[in-house]
Amino acid sequence: MKKSKLLGSVGVVAAAALALVACGKSGQNNNSGASDAKKFPSSTPKKAVKQGGSVNVALETDTPFTGIFSDELATSAYDSQVAAPASEALFDTDDHYQINDKGPATMKMDRQNKTVTITVKKGVKWSDGKQVNAKDLEYPYEILANKKTNAQRYSSQFEEIEGMKEYHEGKASSISGIEMPDGENGRTIVIHYKELKPGMKFSGNGYFWEGAAPYHYLKNIPFNKLQSSDEIRKKPLYFGPYKVSKIVRGQSVSYVPNKYYWRGKPKLNKVTIQVVSQDSASQAIKSHKFDIAEVINSQWDQVKDTKDVNFVAQIPLQYSYLGFKVGKWDAKAGKNVMDKNSKMNNKSLRQAIAYAMNVDAVNKRYTNGLNFKVNTLIPKGFGEYHDSSVKGYNYNLKKAEQLLDKAGYKKKGKWRVQPNGKPLKIKFAAMSGNPNAEAIAQNYLQQWHKIGLDVSLVGGRLTEFNSFYDKVQNDDPGVDMFQAAWSLASEPSQNSMYGEYTSSNYERFVTKKNNELLKEMDSQKAFNTKYRVEKFHEWQQYMNDEAYVVPLSNSYQIQAVNSKLTGYSTKPSQQNKLWSQVGYVK
């Protein structure tokens, strides 16, 4: 996505705490939902807009949102969803995610001089009336790279910027490769790179940041206190169409127009985003409690006949996955360190676990077919970069058992033991938060038990959303494997998720081959699209074989929108200006 809609107005791949693909209550064993979704438009009907009115938006979660109102520091999809009416990225894009000059800022690449020049437009102002300036464009890099902020979204891709690594390691007090030719109060930064990358013309490339941070507002806050500060948690500044007027911690955020907004006056008087439990979501749609609400796929049959609603749909760049812990994050060295003796560091074991998962049956049973199995870590939305020949792990208990037998995981009574004869107990972390999470988790436990693996839930139960990511991000020794989801940036490079030097590689796997392929897909040779596509295909085949990360499902994402609203769209080209154009029909 352009500015990952789930993770704030930034271009890096959405890092960390993303919600699992929804699986809810349904007794329907059919696939009708998928064919219904394909009929939906991507936008509401275009009509003349009137000024005024209030809109209520549902945030469907059974856990409070964290409330980190900073693109640089937020890692939760929910935080970014609640910030959406105020948060705007620096760049607009076309429908193929290529950056254009229609947004708040422009971007120019100079391959010869290895520079990217970003200029924010005159009149783009923070909600306190201050012009967004060069220092506001540079400051996010300091927030991301300074270890005191503990920013999860720093990745080794930023180290292509001259001086970035030195700053990150505390060896320099500033980032030498970011130049402000007209001074801090100018509107331009020039970023000097070791080399430019083929994905840089697309949003979400991960090599430059696509947001700004209000330096004049945050400059006196120590980096280690930034995330907990009132300026981030209670009174954030943005330059988007709306500004925060009220926050009920973890429950709701209300917005009023930003009178300084550069595109002109937004259409609505008020926008409120409010938490609603997933169990209550369908009833909230049917009773018109919210003007915009995501349809939980398992509840489609309950809501599909609702009157005075327009349904719009998209297939997002995302997937749920099973990840295996095979190492640790070394914070001091800033890299992942794989443990060759890790319990889960056996390819046959990982493959067997994947083959035992009845993903298609789960999707059919619990999501009306609106979730669907995926075989590769590069979604179809990436076009030719997606390798449709990847076979994935289709349900095959016999093959799973053969793999375990051959690898020496012999049965000793009910359960298999490790090849060294020691007991094998596997702890599986799965998130609470959607209505059928428990049933789905128990189903997979049952599948693994069928092949003789002693797998149980971490702590004996589902793990609450925030606690789940705390355990996964901090390599809790009680987690051997986990089910989570990624929402992806709109440039397909994988380095910021699966690289050796990114903390978002939660599996902590590091191999020479993976490093080589990640490097090649972003190399100078990869300015040749054919070569780049070949490397992406090679990487997908490699990741499928190694099975450190097993993709499970993607889903149709359906929004129920009040039929009196216009200007709502899921098209990539509309996302950055979405909240500036949503309004009531005249």
Side-chain angles (χ1 to χ4, degrees):
M1 290 176 223
K2 185 195 101 322
K3 69 171 195 170
S4 170
K5 190 166 179 264
L6 290 181
L7 264 163
S9 52
V10 293
V12 294
V13 79
L18 301 195
L20 280 171
V21 174
C23 297
K25 294 174 181 170
S26 170
Q28 300 296 313
N29 285 306
N30 62 63
N31 212 38
S32 64
S35 56
D36 287 341
K38 288 172 187 173
K39 300 172 190 171
F40 294 140
S42 56
S43 305
T44 53
K46 197 170 184 178
K47 297 181 180 179
V49 192
K50 70 178 181 182
Q51 201 69 37
S54 297
V55 162
N56 293 316
V57 183
L59 181 73
E60 290 154 25
T61 169
D62 294 329
T63 190
F65 58 83
T66 320
I68 301 172
F69 292 91
S70 161
D71 294 333
E72 295 75 31
L73 300 173
T75 56
S76 162
Y78 299 132
D79 281 356
S80 297
Q81 282 176 290
V82 295
S87 177
E88 190 164 287
L90 290 174
F91 309 112
D92 285 11
T93 74
D94 63 18
D95 281 330
H96 299 288
Y97 307 105
Q98 185 160 334
I99 292 169
N100 59 38
D101 61 2
K102 296 177 181 177
T106 59
M107 184 276 291
K108 288 181 181 172
M109 292 170 59
D110 183 338
R111 278 189 72 185
Q112 190 175 347
N113 291 310
K114 301 178 186 174
T115 60
V116 169
T117 300
I118 297 173
T119 301
V120 69
K121 292 174 181 174
K122 192 173 182 180
V124 176
K125 295 179 179 180
W126 298 105
S127 54
D128 64 357
K130 295 264 190 186
Q131 167 72 38
V132 178
N133 62 27
K135 185 63 182 178
D136 299 333
L137 302 181
E138 182 272 344
Y139 190 47
Y141 296 90
E142 294 185 33
I143 295 173
L144 288 161
N146 194 300
K147 287 187 178 180
K148 290 179 182 176
T149 64
N150 195 30
Q152 293 285 315
R153 299 177 76 169
Y154 181 82
S155 87
S156 58
Q157 285 173 285
F158 288 122
E159 292 179 2
E160 288 297 325
I161 298 170
E162 296 284 355
M164 193 70 160
K165 186 176 183 183
E166 290 78 1
Y167 179 79
H168 180 58
E169 292 175 349
K171 295 174 183 174
S173 59
S174 62
I175 304 163
S176 61
I178 303 180
E179 176 192 353
M180 292 176 266
D182 303 318
E184 291 188 0
N185 291 319
R187 292 183 286 111
T188 297
I189 60 170
V190 179
I191 308 173
H192 296 262
Y193 286 89
K194 294 168 185 173
E195 62 178 19
L196 296 194
K197 300 292 183 177
M200 284 180 171
K201 61 185 176 181
F202 294 95
S203 175
N205 61 72
Y207 290 100
F208 52 81
W209 196 245
E210 294 180 43
Y215 179 71
H216 70 280
Y217 189 60
L218 303 175
K219 64 182 179 182
N220 294 324
I221 304 167
F223 281 124
N224 63 349
K225 294 186 176 169
L226 201 55
Q227 186 169 304
S228 60
S229 68
D230 285 356
E231 287 82 354
I232 295 293
R233 296 293 188 122
K234 295 180 179 178
K235 298 174 285 184
L237 277 190
Y238 289 103
F239 60 79
Y242 294 91
K243 66 176 183 177
V244 173
S245 63
K246 184 182 179 184
I247 297 173
V248 178
R249 190 174 176 182
Q251 296 302 314
S252 69
V253 186
S254 296
Y255 294 92
V256 294
N258 169 12
K259 67 180 180 181
Y260 302 103
Y261 183 53
W262 73 283
R263 293 190 213 252
K265 190 176 181 181
K267 308 297 187 286
L268 300 164
N269 292 336
K270 187 179 181 183
V271 178
T272 301
I273 300 183
Q274 185 178 339
V275 166
V276 60
S277 77
Q278 296 196 357
D279 277 332
S280 307
S282 62
Q283 188 54 45
I285 290 170
K286 288 193 288 184
S287 64
H288 300 96
K289 182 179 179 182
F290 295 96
D291 300 295
I292 301 171
E294 188 170 336
V295 175
I296 292 176
N297 289 347
S298 59
Q299 299 172 1
W300 170 240
D301 277 351
Q302 299 172 39
V303 302
K304 66 181 182 181
D305 296 322
T306 305
K307 305 291 186 206
D308 300 319
V309 161
N310 287 317
F311 291 108
V312 297
Q314 66 174 148
I315 297 178
L317 296 173
Q318 68 180 37
Y319 55 82
S320 62
Y321 67 94
L322 184 71
F324 296 94
K325 284 285 188 183
V326 292
K328 300 277 186 185
W329 172 252
D330 184 335
K332 193 173 181 182
K335 66 177 185 177
N336 296 291
V337 179
M338 193 154 81
D339 176 7
K340 65 179 181 179
N341 298 316
S342 166
K343 187 193 302 181
M344 308 312 294
N345 206 353
N346 183 298
K347 184 163 76 171
S348 295
L349 175 61
R350 297 193 299 270
Q351 289 180 335
I353 287 169
Y355 277 122
M357 297 180 78
N358 53 343
V359 178
D360 282 325
V362 165
N363 288 336
K364 193 174 180 182
R365 170 69 177 85
Y366 292 109
T367 74
N368 296 302
L370 289 168
N371 285 14
F372 50 90
K373 187 176 182 299
V374 293
N375 292 333
T376 168
L377 299 173
I378 302 292
K380 281 186 180 179
F382 285 122
E384 60 188 336
Y385 293 104
H386 166 79
D387 186 353
S388 58
S389 72
V390 174
K391 291 180 180 176
Y393 291 87
N394 294 316
Y395 183 49
N396 191 331
L397 282 183
K398 188 177 179 183
K399 194 162 188 176
E401 293 198 298
Q402 287 172 346
L403 280 163
L404 292 171
D405 290 340
K406 193 174 179 182
Y409 290 91
K410 305 298 182 189
K411 273 196 175 179
K412 200 172 182 180
K414 184 179 180 181
W415 304 120
R416 292 178 185 268
V417 295
Q418 297 181 60
N420 61 12
K422 291 181 180 178
L424 177 63
K425 290 180 182 290
I426 298 169
K427 296 295 183 182
F428 171 52
M431 257 187 273
S432 63
N434 69 60
N436 278 313
E438 179 71 36
I440 291 168
Q442 291 299 332
N443 161 79
Y444 287 137
L445 291 179
Q446 208 170 27
Q447 293 302 120
W448 295 321
H449 293 168
K450 285 178 184 176
I451 58 171
L453 294 178
D454 185 3
V455 186
S456 59
L457 288 172
V458 171
R461 65 175 79 87
L462 296 177
T463 308
E464 184 270 334
F465 177 85
N466 295 311
S467 177
F468 176 92
Y469 275 104
D470 182 61
K471 289 178 186 293
V472 169
Q473 289 171 345
N474 293 299
D475 302 324
D476 187 309
V479 176
D480 297 314
M481 61 183 188
F482 59 95
Q483 185 178 345
W486 279 118
S487 174
L488 306 178
S490 44
E491 208 294 305
S493 174
Q494 299 293 295
N495 197 45
S496 61
M497 282 191 301
Y498 298 121
E500 181 175 1
Y501 296 94
T502 174
S503 61
S504 301
N505 175 353
Y506 297 136
E507 295 72 27
R508 312 305 182 202
F509 75 94
V510 180
T511 67
K512 185 179 177 184
K513 182 70 172 174
N514 185 54
N515 286 350
E516 284 174 2
L517 289 170
L518 291 178
K519 189 175 180 182
E520 283 302 307
M521 63 175 66
D522 290 336
S523 67
Q524 295 303 292
K525 283 184 185 176
F527 274 99
N528 178 317
T529 303
K530 186 182 176 186
Y531 176 85
R532 194 172 195 228
V533 166
E534 285 173 3
K535 289 300 168 185
F536 267 90
H537 286 201
E538 194 178 337
W539 180 80
Q540 287 166 81
Q541 295 286 356
Y542 172 74
M543 290 294 284
N544 177 67
D545 180 56
E546 291 295 329
Y548 292 110
V549 185
V550 177
L552 300 176
S553 299
N554 197 348
S555 63
Y556 291 92
Q557 196 172 74
I558 306 168
Q559 301 284 338
V561 183
N562 184 338
S563 61
K564 293 173 184 172
L565 288 175
T566 186
Y568 191 89
S569 177
T570 63
K571 288 182 179 178
S573 61
Q574 303 303 303
Q575 290 310 291
N576 205 36
K577 56 188 175 185
L578 180 71
W579 282 104
S580 69
Q581 56 194 23
V582 172
Y584 282 95
V585 177
K586 267 187 180 174

